[in-house]
Amino acid sequence: MSDTEIGDLLQSINQQQQQQQDQEQNQQNAMWSFVLSDQWVLTIQSLAIVSLLASLAVLAFMGHVFLRHHKYLQRLSLRISGYIAIADILNSITQILMLHNDLMIKQTGSGLRFILWLSMFSTLWFVFLTLCISLQLHLSTLTTVRVGTYMKLEKFYVPVSIVLAALLPGIGVSVMKGIFWIPYMHSFNWPTPDNWRRKLTLWLCNYVWVVITIAYCSAVALLLSLRIWKMWRNSIEIIEAPRMPEKWDWNRLTESARSSAENTVVGTTASPSAVESSANLLDQHSVAGDTNSTLIGGRRVSFDP
């Protein structure tokens, strides 16, 4: 093979490799085409504004209720719902900020780290507060833990959630040296020797807690639904097949009473009037308990219909 043929072969190989790289780059650009579009930015901004206004409305309503009814301040679920609204407000503000490239590009490294920390903090605070509600529901309905035991844990829910939500993003942001903003992706980036370290940092400081909370809350909701369904099924069975009430068997009772009265007449000198009144009383009970009988010659005769 001549040098010319070898050169042509190498050139064709290089062209194929370049075409493959261009194709991969085009696929990546197509993947982020929706992110680059104005529709994406407008949609996210609209959702963030709606979420912000809804959270403000929730806080205003809760403040009105608490001012008129102070007793509702003792309810754990209402207090945590207020903190969740505050976390959602912070998250909506960071989302609105991160959708303005002109503002994010002007930020220094410290400013970018603070915005990223605030975004992660608001997300994790929301997640941990939701986890606390599920934990309270789990302890109060699905376990045999005493009321006093899990009520003592209520005072730790909000402080522990704040500490964890602030500490974990702080650890993650501290290792992001040289952080910078990618405008077309609307995301942060920082130089690392390996890409897996970047993913590991984000997962340990943010994503893994979201996954754990979703899995735990789903499990609690499923178990509670199964228990409610079982209770409902048991109530339906009781209604469909109720236990018959206990009744006295008047026929058997009158037979035993009649034999006792006859023995009393034979063994004692009872007056005829007393015996006759006893027989009449027994006949009355017999009529009440047995409708398929008739009185013939002073004796009651039963017959089958």
Side-chain angles (χ1 to χ4, degrees), residues 135-294:
L135 178 61
Q136 183 75 1
L137 186 63
H138 182 195
L139 295 177
S140 59
T141 59
L142 299 176
T143 63
T144 57
V145 179
R146 294 184 177 180
V147 177
T149 301
Y150 63 77
M151 288 188 65
K152 293 179 181 178
L153 299 176
E154 294 180 357
K155 58 183 178 182
F156 298 105
Y157 287 156
V158 175
V160 171
S161 299
I162 295 176
V163 172
L164 291 178
L167 183 61
L168 292 173
I171 296 174
V173 171
S174 64
V175 300
M176 299 177 184
K177 305 298 182 181
I179 189 173
F180 58 94
W181 179 253
I182 304 177
Y184 69 91
M185 293 179 62
H186 291 277
S187 64
F188 300 91
N189 198 358
W190 65 95
T192 55
D194 300 310
N195 191 30
W196 65 269
R197 294 184 180 180
R198 180 187 293 107
K199 294 181 179 180
L200 182 62
T201 301
L202 291 175
W203 271 94
L204 291 180
C205 297
N206 191 12
Y207 300 142
V208 68
W209 303 104
V210 177
V211 174
I212 291 175
T213 300
I214 293 175
Y216 179 73
C217 293
S218 301
V220 172
L222 178 61
L223 293 176
L224 186 60
S225 300
L226 291 176
R227 172 163 292 189
I228 294 174
W229 180 79
K230 184 178 180 180
M231 294 172 60
W232 179 77
R233 290 292 300 173
N234 293 337
S235 63
I236 292 297
E237 292 177 358
I238 293 175
I239 294 174
E240 291 179 350
R243 184 175 63 86
M244 295 298 294
E246 295 180 357
K247 296 190 299 183
W248 288 357
D249 189 352
W250 285 105
N251 293 328
R252 186 168 54 187
L253 289 175
T254 53
E255 289 177 358
S256 61
R258 190 185 299 275
S259 61
S260 178
E262 292 177 354
N263 294 333
T264 302
V265 171
V266 173
T268 62
T269 58
S271 62
S273 59
V275 175
E276 184 178 0
S277 61
S278 299
N280 293 333
L281 181 61
L282 292 176
D283 290 337
Q284 293 176 4
H285 287 299
S286 179
V287 170
D290 188 1
T291 58
N292 299 322
S293 61
T294 183

Side-chain angles (χ1 to χ4, degrees), residues 13-70:
I13 293 175
N14 291 332
Q15 289 178 355
Q16 292 178 359
Q17 291 179 352
Q18 185 65 32
Q19 291 177 358
Q20 185 177 0
Q21 291 177 358
D22 293 341
Q23 185 178 2
E24 293 177 356
Q25 185 66 29
N26 292 332
Q27 291 178 354
Q28 185 176 4
N29 292 335
M31 184 183 302
W32 291 100
S33 61
F34 185 69
V35 179
L36 294 171
S37 64
D38 295 336
Q39 289 81 1
W40 168 264
V41 176
L42 181 61
T43 302
I44 299 300
Q45 284 181 341
S46 302
L47 293 176
I49 292 173
V50 170
S51 180
L52 177 63
L53 295 177
S55 298
L56 290 175
V58 169
L59 289 179
F61 176 75
M62 293 180 64
H64 174 72
V65 172
F66 289 157
L67 289 176
R68 299 190 61 180
H69 307 282
H70 299 285

